[in-house]
Amino acid sequence: MRLNHHRLALAALACLGTNAHADDTHLETVIVTGGRPTSLPAQIPTTIEGITGAQVEERINAFDSEDALKYLPSLNVRKRYTGDYDHAVLASRASGTGNSARSLVYADGILLSNLLGNGAAYTPRWGLVTPEEIERVDVLYGPFAAAYPGNSVGAVVDFQTRMPVKREAHVKLSGYSQGFKLYRTDDRYDGWQGSAALGDRSGAWSYWIDVSRLDSDAQPIAFANKLVASGVPNGGGVPVTGAVAGRNPSNKDWWLIGATSRTRTVQDHAKFKLAWDISPKLRASYTFGWWRNEAARVADSYLRDAAGNPVTTATRVNIDGRAYDVRASDFAPSRGTLEHAMHGLSLKRHSRDTFDWEIAASVYDYARDLVRTPTVLVPDAATNGAGQVTDMHGSGWNTLALKGIWRPDAGVLAAHTVEFGLQSDHAKLRTRVFGTTTDWLHAGDGRQVSVFNGNTWLESLYAQDSWRIADDWRATMGARFERWRAYGGELANAVLAAPLPFPDRSETAWSPKAALSWRASPDWTLKASTGRAARNPTAAELFQGTIVGDAIVNSNPNLKAERSWTSELSAETMKDRSSLRVTLFRETTRDALYSQPLLVAGGTTVNTVQNVGRIRTNGLEVSAQADDVGVKGLALSSSLTYADSIIAENAGFPASVGKWQPRVPRWRATMLATWKANDKWTATLGARYSGRQYGTLDNSDPNGDAYMGVSDYLVVDARLRYRFGRRWSAAVGVDNLGDRKYWAFHPYTQRTVVAEVRWDL
């Protein structure tokens, strides 16, 4: 997907503000064509891949912003359905889809990664970017830039959204339909999305307004179940039929008794951006983003009594001679109302002279975040009654950054480019659960069930020097100093009126970085990079536990930071219409943060976050692109990744030593073929492959093709786009053309037909 053609190199160097002759283009990492360049530190000779918004529109069936990453090397977003707002975790070379805090996602410099916690419930806020507003998206692989904290150990994703140079307007309407068949569920699920954007520039001022609505009806993503061995022989109960026999991920016999978490989500998005060019070298900009989501999740029971009626209430049932208790939570619906807002403000000097600087601040606010669930199951899921409400209002994060770029010998071949800065990142987690006896659908308050709060604060100072040593050599040296604090942690339950406090924490860490590139020949460049990353515990990982009496037990307030050393060695060639990159990478992580069994007082075993001694990953990544391959207008891009990721030390859970790191497959691959037949017709065929995986530290879940399992997959996608003229275009496509059933704990979507029509001014 990278734009690596030599004929574009000089334009890119001008955008990036580098000083190089035409012969030095092999030393550059990212090549761009007009518009704004990537905001990633492109002068570091390491791996950066990217795709433009125009390529996304042409090649990818994109409903959500994360779809833009679908075919980039080594990346996988655990997107379960269109509009998935709470589990779409980004995985990278040595980090699985359970490690959301091991990557960073930005949009125009504003942090979208949710670092309140680590895991499926703390995903990037993808909904604050729509595919239609993307100008380009780039990915930096690994913690090689001193400008980013240790959460960059996996990858840094940088969305650059549109800012017009003249008046422009866009309207798009799209829809999808999915046929889904699994267990006893056999149905179609449909959705649509509409978006509109308007932008203009007048003198020193420019603005951009983008609005959209997504109405998505998704397949069930969970299934109520009972282990066969848990049934009581001759235990009575209502005789029922309809349960589906199967094996769970551990290959134990179980019954699937119903489909749950069938999600209907309606999401509204609005974005307003304003820029003022105070002078030709100084720009002020403001961004406001707003996202609202109304989500309803319901369940469908497979069980039928003797009269053929569905069994949906809490009761005891009899399946094949054994008695099982159906709990209220088995078929409980839920309702979510989320309203989030973000603000970003920056003042930037961009002269490409000796000194440039930037001041940037951002705020992300959970203005409203309520999830409602009944605690008494009734036949009609919408019937009001007793329930619980989880309120995360007040959670969010804010950032402040002071950045500088100094070019002490601008215009000289052996030029230095020194980047430095001071940063502050503050995250606050606020969670209160309250109960109601009469109004779970509407209650605004009630009796306290639990309170869970905490704060983290990271203050950082960094510097990095990119030095063109000679015509064929470039070196980068940098370091990052961080002071991390965790404070205000507290936990309460229904009994305690006042929360119990956790002890405050503070730590410091150094993270050195280094990279070197050598133009070995006119066609080949060799690059080597290494860097250390310290990923501190999030508030949700650190401040956890259970209250027994008047004390917090099974907590681990002394969690250590993950400390990773990552290195890569690349050989890269760029020809006029093709490129090839081969990268060897290695990552060693000490004190990795994972939830694992812990034996507490009384002989009880609970799962809580602990440090895993050491995880080592060795791998190979190959990325290739070519234009006009055999047929005029045919472009191919492909990637192949091999990762051997093994738990080498773990005193807290010895059974995991020697096993694969969860959700990091040995093999991954992508392929995308695009044929631009003429100015009107474009056809695309893509494929994504992932090898077998495990979801547990001890690899005790060998059956990946089951609910709660993690399976391998090969998925093929297709897209056909037609331009009617300068302003109108339409496209039709199919995702998962082969109707593959595959899992990442939850089932992914099956064959889905998509269609869209677009108007551009």
Side-chain angles (χ1 to χ4, degrees), residues 131-252:
E132 291 69 45
E133 64 176 319
I134 295 173
E135 184 167 345
R136 63 179 297 110
V137 54
D138 295 292
V139 180
L140 170 67
Y141 291 74
F144 304 123
Y148 297 105
N151 308 88
S152 65
V153 60
V156 179
V157 175
D158 175 53
F159 286 99
Q160 292 286 297
T161 64
R162 300 182 63 83
M163 206 63 198
V165 295
K166 61 179 181 179
R167 179 172 297 174
E168 57 178 287
H170 311 273
V171 178
K172 180 180 175 181
L173 182 63
S174 54
Y176 77 85
S177 181
Q178 175 199 179
F180 186 85
K181 186 174 183 179
L182 185 66
Y183 303 134
R184 290 194 182 277
T185 300
D186 186 358
D187 209 342
R188 296 206 68 85
Y189 301 95
D190 307 314
W192 64 271
Q193 184 181 56
S195 64
L198 176 67
D200 198 1
R201 181 179 177 91
S202 177
W205 294 88
S206 57
Y207 71 89
W208 177 263
I209 301 172
D210 182 272
V211 295
S212 71
R213 164 163 280 202
L214 171 68
D215 189 329
S216 175
D217 190 15
Q219 81 279 5
I221 55 174
F223 298 88
N225 58 84
K226 304 292 179 182
L227 283 174
V228 171
S230 69
V232 180
N234 303 316
V238 178
V240 294
T241 59
V244 179
R247 288 180 174 269
N248 73 0
S250 299
N251 272 328
K252 296 180 179 179

Side-chain angles (χ1 to χ4, degrees), residues 57 61 719-722 724 729-733 754-758:
E57 170 66 23
N61 301 319
R719 181 174 174 85
L720 182 65
R721 184 169 180 260
Y722 179 72
F724 296 94
S729 63
V732 63
V754 300
E756 65 184 50
V757 61
R758 175 169 172 153

Side-chain angles (χ1 to χ4, degrees), residues 42 128 155 165 178 194 252 258 263 270 276 333 391-392 401 460 472 504 624 684 729:
L128 268 298
V165 295
Q178 175 199 179
K252 296 180 179 179
T263 307
W276 175 31
D391 185 358
M392 293 189 67
S460 311
D472 297 332
D504 295 348
T684 302
S729 63

